[in-house]
Amino acid sequence: MNLSRCLPSAALAMALASPLAAQTLTITTSGGDYGAALRDALWAPAAAELGFEMREDSQSDSLAALRMQVMSGAVSTDVIQMGSLEAAQAATMDLLEPLDPEIVDIDGLPEGARNDYCHPFDSYGTVMAWNTETFGDAPPRSWADFWDTETFPGRRALRANAQDLLEIALLSEGVAPDEVYDVLESGDGLARAIARLEELKPDVAVWWSSGAQSTQLLKDGEADLVVTWNGRAANAAADGGAAGYTFAGSVIGTDCLAVPAGAPHPEEAMKLIAAMTTAEREARLTDHILYGPVNPAAYETGLIPEDRLELLATAPANAGSSVYSDPAWWVAHGQEAQIAFDEMMNR
Amino acid sequence: MTGTAAMTAPATPDRDTRAGLRRDARRERAFFLSLSLPALLLVGLCAMLPIFWILRQSVMTLRGEFTLANWEKLLSSALTWKSVWTTVELSGATLVLCMALGIPLALALASAPPKIANRLLILVMLPLWTSILVRTYGWLVLLRRDGLVNQALTGTGIASEPLALVYNFTGTLIGMVHFMLPLFVLPVYAAMRDIDGNAIRAAASMGASLPRTLATVVLPLSAGGIRSGAMIVFIYTLGFFITPAVLGGGQVSPVAIRIEKVMSTFQDWGQASALGVLLLILVAMAAAMLAAARRLIGRKGKTHA
């Protein structure tokens, strides 16, 4: 009761106190625990600093929601959180405002992660996980080991999707991390990756389709070697599963922040993105969720405890042999790659 | 109402009475038709409209222009035909297993004393009250590598190492048969229960053996129930999604799974719609085939008599 009477006057007081009338910005995230983490660590403190009022919206399918808003000409959101691949698709459909490099520090990001439309701020790794009961003290250490079915016999589980697996297939053949997309871009690169996956196919017991399923497979010992996301592998171990995993050769995916084309407050939105992605805020996000910062300076803040560091895909000790998933390649070749992958799976 | 109308109509010219009766009959039909109007409206809005919308979408580009590209892509892809074949294979195998397990079960139920039959029937119905998701995951727990079934098999020495019972065709089939069996047994049981006991006694008194009685009396008389059961099983399973998704482990991909895949990985609504229409055609073809089979058997039945 009191609160409801209090709030408008508090807003009014703030509006009067700030030099400009407070802007109300709308942010769209995927909601749930993740959305709450983004609020508490990133946008709520950033907005308080800039004196913005905020409205929160949540959408499970950011691309569909964005498309709907832009197509109907009724854009209500100023900042939208997306997966980098969806964002790249959105950019090709002219659904995003290009980011202003004067406001958002694009060049401060690692080379593979830079993006002109959607600013990556957190990351997860697609990693190799294994059953520690099966392999004991001599677990597989690299993707080459993952393919070595003689030294490491056992049932494999892979995601039923070409994403990350093509990169991993090439890494397993000894392609250097920074050359993976050059090889894929070259004439027979895709065919080479698919052929490598087909080689492993007889040992693939399950093609999983949801992250939860991959955790379950690992925890139950249904599969001995699993390609999964680092958070999922950590979950399996935390739930008492005999699971180990390594970031060696992980494929890093990122989530990013973008401004929809025709957003009501584009300039303020970019300022908000810049304030959300400072080294400190990205470091703080890891208190809430195991998504590693993309801003390299976050690791120099000393805000991330040692025992957290080893769980993050982009931590300096983990990222050495990693590949940043390249949204541009996937937007250009995703269709072709997925079809080739599907045909391989069903052969 | 009809009765009173006919009574108060002038008794003499016979023609007028008949016309009145006809008029009343017409009114009655119109009345009953109007009763079904809400249901028709609902079916029209909730079933027919979306189907037309899907049909329309299957021949549209993203920008809303007419195109046959979706269909060309679909029909020329080996993945489509493979998934159609997997669908038919799954539904066919489910049907065969349901018949092999369901007909003896229905027979046992129908020949048991009513009191026991009713209790057994509750047991048959029980799975229907559980969510398909729960049942499917239940099978996962039972059938996986260190699941109960494999533990029992390896523990008793029947199998030397765990069998691959799930994340493949076998596991999917087990889950589907389990789901469909009650739906098959119910109509078959209903048909068998309605068989006049005298017909069976007559066959027995004429010296027919049990198998002969079954083959010449019981099965032909319950053919209607078996047919409806088969129709339900086959057509229902053509669109199955959850069971192959959970128990198939990516190794089994019928049309329903393909639709999801096309939507989620390619965001290709046009092609997914075309696949949906293809599934609909498949269902219609199956229904037509079963109907034709019924007519054929019906005719044969008549020449017998």
Side-chain angles (χ1 to χ4, degrees):
Chain A
M1 279 275 266
N2 269 340
L3 196 71
S4 64
R5 223 174 296 146
C6 245
L7 272 179
S9 56
L12 195 68
M14 272 169 71
L16 291 173
S18 61
L20 291 163
Q23 298 273 14
T24 303
L25 265 62
T26 303
I27 186 164
T28 302
T29 68
S30 29
D33 287 345
Y34 186 34
L38 297 180
R39 180 189 59 222
D40 294 343
L42 303 184
W43 63 258
E49 180 187 292
L50 294 167
F52 295 155
E53 300 274 303
M54 295 295 294
R55 244 197 351 234
E56 186 182 10
D57 197 2
S58 67
Q59 290 289 349
S60 57
D61 186 340
S62 59
L63 182 57
L66 179 69
R67 181 149 67 185
M68 188 102 87
Q69 285 195 15
V70 177
M71 293 288 188
S72 67
V75 181
S76 61
T77 199
D78 295 290
V79 175
I80 185 165
Q81 166 242 324
M82 310 183 82
S84 286
L85 180 57
E86 284 87 65
Q89 279 172 317
T92 59
M93 292 187 245
D94 295 329
L95 300 177
L96 297 178
E97 217 52 75
L99 296 173
D100 184 347
E102 301 282 310
I103 304 176
V104 181
D105 180 20
I106 298 175
D107 290 336
L109 297 183
E111 204 187 314
R114 278 174 215 159
N115 193 297
D116 294 333
Y117 288 89
C118 197
H119 197 63
F121 65 97
D122 72 3
S123 67
Y124 51 91
T126 298
V127 302
M128 170 168 67
W130 60 86
N131 185 329
T132 50
E133 275 169 20
T134 313
F135 297 112
D137 293 337
R141 280 290 167 212
S142 66
W143 292 119
D145 289 350
F146 195 91
W147 257 258
D148 184 353
T149 53
E150 274 173 30
T151 322
F152 301 97
R155 297 151 54 93
R156 269 79 169 157
L158 269 57
R159 184 174 172 215
N161 191 308
Q163 254 184 61
D164 304 337
L165 285 180
L166 298 182
E167 290 88 333
I168 286 170
L170 291 179
L171 289 172
S172 79
E173 284 192 319
V175 173
D178 57 351
E179 281 168 15
V180 164
Y181 286 102
D182 295 337
V183 174
L184 277 177
E185 194 75 45
S186 70
D188 63 340
L190 176 59
R192 184 173 155 194
I194 294 286
R196 181 70 170 158
L197 285 166
E198 191 155 20
E199 216 177 282
L200 192 65
K201 202 182 142 192
D203 290 274
V204 179
V206 185
W207 299 93
W208 56 263
S209 47
S210 77
Q213 202 187 351
S214 73
T215 311
Q216 199 68 37
L217 292 167
L218 198 56
K219 223 178 78 182
D220 295 344
E222 185 72 33
D224 305 299
L225 286 148
V226 183
V227 178
T228 184
W229 294 301
N230 66 301
R232 296 295 184 176
N235 278 350
D239 283 358
Y245 67 99
T246 174
F247 279 103
S250 72
V251 180
I252 298 177
T254 52
D255 272 2
C256 59
L257 299 165
V259 180
H265 314 97
E267 203 185 317
E268 288 81 359
M270 287 181 208
K271 282 185 186 149
L272 183 70
I273 291 177
M276 283 170 74
T277 53
T278 59
E280 269 147 42
R281 298 221 165 90
E282 285 194 18
R284 288 285 183 214
L285 181 63
T286 63
D287 291 344
H288 300 266
I289 197 155
L290 280 180
Y291 283 2
V294 182
N295 184 348
Y299 287 105
E300 289 155 23
T301 57
L303 290 170
I304 308 173
E306 281 297 314
D307 57 341
R308 282 249 140 181
L309 272 182
E310 58 196 47
L311 302 175
L312 303 174
T314 44
N318 294 334
S321 52
S322 304
V323 178
Y324 272 99
S325 172
D326 182 1
W329 189 86
W330 279 101
V331 167
H333 304 283
Q335 177 105 351
E336 176 196 359
Q338 296 287 8
I339 289 174
F341 182 84
D342 264 10
E343 282 172 354
M344 180 278 298
M345 246 179 82
N346 283 290
R347 254 197 293 273
Chain B
M1 223 165 97
T2 326
T4 21
M7 292 262 253
T8 51
T12 30
D14 206 26
R15 221 183 300 145
D16 283 2
T17 318
R18 276 208 301 272
L21 276 174
R22 267 205 300 277
R23 196 175 55 233
D24 282 346
R26 251 202 319 275
R27 264 191 216 143
E28 205 168 310
R29 267 203 304 274
F31 175 66
F32 284 133
L33 206 65
S34 70
L35 280 184
S36 64
L37 216 58
L40 283 177
L41 213 68
L42 200 70
V43 169
L45 280 177
C46 301
M48 297 314 283
L49 262 184
I51 288 175
F52 282 125
W53 187 74
I54 287 173
L55 199 63
R56 188 171 159 268
Q57 192 161 251
S58 75
V59 291
M60 287 279 195
T61 62
L62 266 180
R63 287 181 186 76
E65 292 145 8
F66 177 81
T67 176
L68 284 177
N70 292 325
W71 283 97
E72 273 172 37
K73 246 195 303 187
L74 191 74
L75 297 179
S76 63
S77 161
L79 290 172
T80 307
W81 298 112
K82 174 131 193 213
S83 71
V84 167
W85 175 239
T86 307
T87 310
V88 173
E89 222 176 8
L90 263 180
S91 295
T94 308
L95 179 56
V96 169
L97 283 177
C98 276
M99 283 178 138
L101 297 169
I103 294 176
L105 180 59
L107 205 58
L109 281 172
S111 54
K115 225 180 191 168
I116 298 175
N118 276 336
R119 287 199 189 133
L120 288 176
L121 206 59
I122 290 176
L123 287 182
V124 172
M125 300 275 286
L126 210 57
L128 279 181
W129 301 337
T130 328
S131 144
I132 180 166
L133 217 55
V134 173
R135 277 192 271 168
T136 310
Y137 278 100
W139 278 114
L140 202 58
V141 174
L142 287 176
L143 296 177
R144 66 181 196 219
R145 201 150 59 134
D146 63 348
L148 281 176
V149 173
N150 264 325
Q151 274 175 8
L153 286 177
T154 47
T156 52
I158 294 171
S160 58
E161 60 178 69
L163 302 176
L165 296 173
V166 75
Y167 297 125
N168 51 23
F169 193 85
T170 315
T172 310
L173 196 57
I174 293 173
M176 283 172 70
V177 170
H178 178 230
F179 184 79
M180 293 313 297
L181 195 55
L183 296 175
F184 178 79
V185 166
L186 286 179
V188 179
Y189 165 69
M192 285 183 175
R193 199 195 42 201
D194 288 346
I195 295 175
D196 187 352
N198 286 329
I200 295 166
R201 260 170 248 133
S205 73
M206 297 218 184
S209 63
L210 183 63
R212 199 176 155 84
T213 312
L214 282 179
T216 55
V217 180
V218 177
L219 287 182
L221 284 175
S222 54
I226 295 176
R227 224 162 28 223
S228 1
M231 190 101 140
I232 293 172
V233 170
F234 194 76
I235 288 179
Y236 206 99
T237 48
L238 284 177
F240 250 47
F241 175 76
I242 293 173
T243 315
V246 175
L247 300 176
Q251 317 267 17
V252 184
S253 76
V255 177
I257 298 272
R258 272 292 326 133
I259 293 178
E260 193 271 343
K261 178 108 192 175
V262 169
M263 296 262 280
S264 68
T265 18
F266 300 111
Q267 277 106 39
D268 189 344
W269 289 59
Q271 210 187 327
S273 301
L275 262 169
V277 174
L278 193 68
L279 185 59
L280 202 66
I281 294 172
L282 211 61
V283 171
M285 268 166 55
M289 257 156 63
L290 283 168
R294 176 175 167 184
R295 223 170 300 133
L296 213 69
I297 295 169
R299 207 175 299 142
K300 221 165 87 190
K302 253 173 229 143
T303 52
H304 260 298

